[in-house]
Amino acid sequence: MMNESEVAARALALLDLTSLNDDDTDEKIIALCKKAHGEFGHTAAVCVWPRFVKLAKAELQGTGVDVATVVNFPHGSTDVAATVAETTQAIADGADEIDVVLPYKAFMDGDVESAKALLVATRKACAGKVMKVIIESGVLTHAQLITEASKLSIECGANFIKTSTGKTPVSATLEAANAMLEVIRDSNKPVGFKASGGVRTTEQADSYMTLADKIMGPKWAGKMTFRFGASGLRDSLLASMGYGSKPTESKGY
């Protein structure tokens, strides 16, 4: 069994260090990129708004940290043309990973074809790159909806299925993670899972990794199969690793 420091180090390497705030600036993104690597190692990626992709790519060159961005975010519309345009520009600017929001409202209303069309078009637009599909599990509420959204996302070529935008009242939950991981297991495809929104402590991160170990096997979770999307989690992980003190309160994505 791993100790707290080992758990934290494992989680840190799986972290998409995220800033998707309305008041983000170049200066804030530069500071975020500096936090993504150091003597402690480095995170898996940083995740920023599309307008900051080019800047983040330049800041992170040679660090081993990938650049992720969001499209169709956070609204999850059915506008294929706009989403493809966002994706194409993000790839041109240097994005390694595209986190696209499933048109979850349309999906819940039974318009599966519109949701599918957007995901298929996005997959084509980011061919060769990692595509994470955000199903917005906190809004889908019922386990069956979460299961069906996860299946559709995988069918449309998702490399990861992701819980949340972090912009709704309910973000990642262990219950949603359980349903999503079971779909991944049963798909027999090389698809990853991302817990996003509300994961702020080493203890919470450990709960998600333990669940993945239980469902997928103890050696499954790695950079290409498991991620956390968070801003506040980093400080707790570093404190658990012996870098500074644990924050008394952590707010963020």
Side-chain angles (χ1 to χ4, degrees), residues 13-128:
L14 306 177
L15 176 61
D16 288 356
L17 187 61
T18 301
S19 189
L20 296 169
N21 301 311
D22 293 337
D23 62 350
D24 282 344
T25 62
D26 285 359
E27 291 74 21
K28 289 182 179 181
I29 298 307
I30 290 170
L32 181 80
C33 291
K34 291 184 185 303
K35 289 182 177 180
H37 58 95
E39 60 180 314
F40 52 82
H42 60 74
T43 66
V46 299
C47 185
V48 297
W49 289 111
R51 65 183 181 273
F52 296 115
V53 165
K54 192 176 292 186
L55 173 63
K57 190 71 174 180
E59 288 294 314
L60 293 168
Q61 186 173 3
T63 64
V65 180
D66 289 332
V67 176
T69 193
V70 291
V71 299
N72 204 34
F73 186 96
H75 43 77
S77 79
T78 56
D79 191 335
V80 172
T83 304
V84 167
E86 276 187 304
T87 303
T88 302
Q89 185 61 56
I91 297 299
D93 287 344
D96 302 295
E97 303 178 354
I98 299 293
D99 290 26
V100 57
V101 182
L102 170 79
Y104 61 92
K105 295 174 185 175
F107 179 81
M108 291 175 72
D109 289 339
D111 187 5
V112 177
E113 287 308 310
S114 290
K116 182 176 181 178
L118 186 134
L119 295 186
V120 168
T122 305
R123 174 70 281 176
K124 184 177 180 180
C126 66

Side-chain angles (χ1 to χ4, degrees), residues 103-157:
Y104 61 92
K105 295 174 185 175
F107 179 81
M108 291 175 72
D109 289 339
D111 187 5
V112 177
E113 287 308 310
S114 290
K116 182 176 181 178
L118 186 134
L119 295 186
V120 168
T122 305
R123 174 70 281 176
K124 184 177 180 180
C126 66
K129 304 294 183 180
V130 171
M131 184 175 85
K132 309 188 197 91
V133 178
I134 306 168
I135 68 168
E136 203 66 284
S137 58
V139 176
L140 297 180
T141 60
H142 297 298
Q144 186 59 35
L145 277 174
I146 292 171
T147 295
E148 293 304 323
S150 298
K151 287 180 178 179
L152 177 65
S153 300
I154 293 172
E155 177 189 335
C156 294

Side-chain angles (χ1 to χ4, degrees), residues 233-245:
L233 177 59
R234 171 190 175 274
D235 291 345
S236 181
L237 297 178
L238 289 186
S240 294
M241 293 166 65
Y243 298 95
S245 57

